[in-house]
Amino acid sequence: MFGRFFPTVMKNVGLGNLLFSPICNRCCISRLLYSQAPPIGVAERISPASLLLERDVDHLPHLEKPQAWLESLATRESNKLAILDLHPDVFATFPRIDILHRNIQWQKVYKIIDTKIEKNRAECSGGGRKPWRQKGSGRARHGSIRSPIWKNGGKAHGARGGRTYWYVLPAQIRAWGLRVAMTVKHTQDNLCIVDSLDVPSSDPQYLEDIGKERYWGESVLFIDHKPIEDMPENFMDAINRVKMYNFLPTEGVNCYSLLKHETLVMTIDAVNFLETRLMSLTNRYCKPELEKDRPIIETQLGLTRP
């Protein structure tokens, strides 16, 4: 079941070995991406004016910040604008496959409502008379052929419809699953960050050409921190006519959609919002007895909170 939505986790980047390696759960696994040789032709497409775009990332100073290119959709070719610093707790967290599985299972079953109804002995047709007399026949005594112990009889304690499988997954686990999913996308080089989703043409072939030129794969998920009503008209006209390209606002981001699509394309506004929101959900559940000793530990380690 789970392999359909996470087909490439265990290949290309040695993630299987990373799962069982004795490393810190806050390690920067993005260095696996940079240790690989770049594809042929990437160096020629990098603009000489590319620069490091500093971002105010609230993280502990001893954690290495992963980086990604900031690109533009104004041209079909990959146009590198700058290099972004990403939050290490969002895009370089430890890859917990069990957390992803819990999120996927929750999304698959919490909307299910079972309407199946099984008839009891009173609702089955027939069986009104006694099948044989009480004594003298040598057979077991019975009062109706629709008893639950008979074939084609009623069901005792059967399903009566309206059963729901809904349950609440803790917000911390949901935020954790999103952080792991975005870490995997970044590590496998399936994350693209753009300045905006403005495209010069409403032709769907333009988006498809961008995907082919930048090796996005067959399915792409676009995420922006805007409601659908405020999205660029050219982009919405184009994406509505491409079958495997979908759009989600930041409020609708979920693990199922992230793993279902091969490539994730996010705007810089969406990255800023998701980093702030996910870290807020993660830090608000810290235990007080652990937080009260944090200044002492940081002082002993020579660290200062940013």
Side-chain angles (χ1 to χ4, degrees):
M1 180 280 303
F2 186 64
R4 294 192 314 164
F5 309 104
F6 203 30
T8 57
V9 169
M10 307 303 291
K11 68 178 183 179
N12 295 335
V13 296
L15 201 55
N17 297 329
L18 183 63
L19 290 175
F20 305 101
S21 59
I23 58 177
C24 175
N25 62 347
R26 291 178 176 267
C27 70
C28 183
I29 65 175
S30 62
R31 68 185 62 181
L32 293 175
L33 172 62
Y34 305 123
S35 64
Q36 299 176 353
I40 298 176
V42 170
E44 290 76 11
R45 293 199 298 267
I46 298 178
S47 172
S50 299
L51 50 88
L52 178 62
L53 181 60
E54 294 290 342
R55 296 175 62 237
D56 186 14
V57 179
D58 184 15
H59 73 293
L60 294 177
H62 67 281
L63 296 180
E64 180 181 352
K65 292 182 291 186
Q67 294 179 337
W69 284 107
L70 177 65
E71 303 182 19
S72 174
L73 300 182
T75 59
R76 288 180 171 87
E77 295 76 16
S78 180
N79 185 14
K80 312 293 186 181
L81 302 180
I83 299 178
L84 295 177
D85 286 333
L86 304 177
H87 201 296
D89 289 333
V90 177
F91 292 94
T93 188
F94 190 80
R96 289 283 300 271
I97 309 300
D98 57 320
I99 298 298
L100 288 178
H101 182 263
R102 290 182 61 180
N103 279 268
I104 295 298
Q105 282 294 102
W106 171 69
Q107 286 189 249
K108 290 183 67 175
V109 304
Y110 81 92
K111 294 181 180 179
I112 296 178
I113 298 179
D114 190 359
T115 59
K116 182 180 180 181
I117 297 179
E118 294 178 314
K119 294 182 179 180
N120 55 27
R121 61 182 297 169
E123 295 171 340
C124 293
S125 61
R129 72 179 184 89
K130 193 175 179 66
W132 49 75
R133 62 181 183 174
Q134 183 79 357
K135 295 178 178 291
S137 65
R139 291 175 287 186
R141 51 198 175 190
H142 289 286
S144 173
I145 62 173
R146 296 299 178 237
S147 172
I149 64 177
W150 279 68
K151 182 181 178 181
N152 298 327
K155 180 70 174 179
H157 311 293
R160 302 303 297 171
R163 179 186 178 186
T164 177
Y165 294 89
W166 182 87
Y167 65 95
V168 178
L169 190 68
Q172 185 182 19
I173 302 300
R174 283 179 277 167
W176 197 352
L178 288 176
R179 292 191 290 118
V180 172
M182 288 193 289
T183 295
V184 171
K185 289 297 183 183
H186 178 263
T187 305
Q188 294 180 338
D189 201 14
N190 290 330
L191 174 67
C192 179
I193 301 177
V194 297
D195 54 350
S196 67
L197 295 180
D198 292 326
V199 292
S201 174
S202 61
D203 185 8
Q205 187 62 38
Y206 181 83
L207 281 182
E208 294 180 352
D209 292 342
I210 292 179
K212 293 179 182 179
E213 179 68 25
R214 306 185 187 187
Y215 304 100
W216 282 353
E218 297 183 356
S219 58
V220 181
L221 178 64
F222 296 86
I223 299 177
D224 195 0
H225 187 46
K226 292 181 181 178
I228 298 180
E229 297 79 11
D230 298 337
M231 291 300 299
E233 185 177 353
N234 286 344
F235 173 77
M236 295 307 297
D237 291 343
I239 199 174
N240 287 334
R241 289 180 286 173
V242 181
K243 183 178 180 180
M244 301 297 291
Y245 286 12
N246 296 306
F247 169 77
L248 272 180
T250 50
E251 289 79 6
V253 175
N254 58 88
C255 289
Y256 188 96
S257 298
L258 293 182
L259 299 184
K260 183 179 180 181
H261 296 81
E262 185 173 350
T263 302
L264 177 62
V265 179
M266 304 173 62
T267 63
I268 184 63
D269 294 336
V271 172
N272 293 332
F273 175 80
L274 289 176
E275 284 183 348
T276 304
R277 181 61 176 167
L278 292 177
M279 293 312 302
S280 174
L281 290 173
T282 302
N283 295 331
R284 65 190 275 192
Y285 288 94
C286 292
K287 295 183 179 180
E289 56 270 20
L290 299 180
E291 282 295 313
K292 67 179 182 180
D293 296 333
R294 182 170 178 172
I296 302 176
I297 297 175
E298 291 179 348
T299 303
Q300 293 175 347
L301 295 177
L303 303 176
T304 58
R305 299 190 65 178

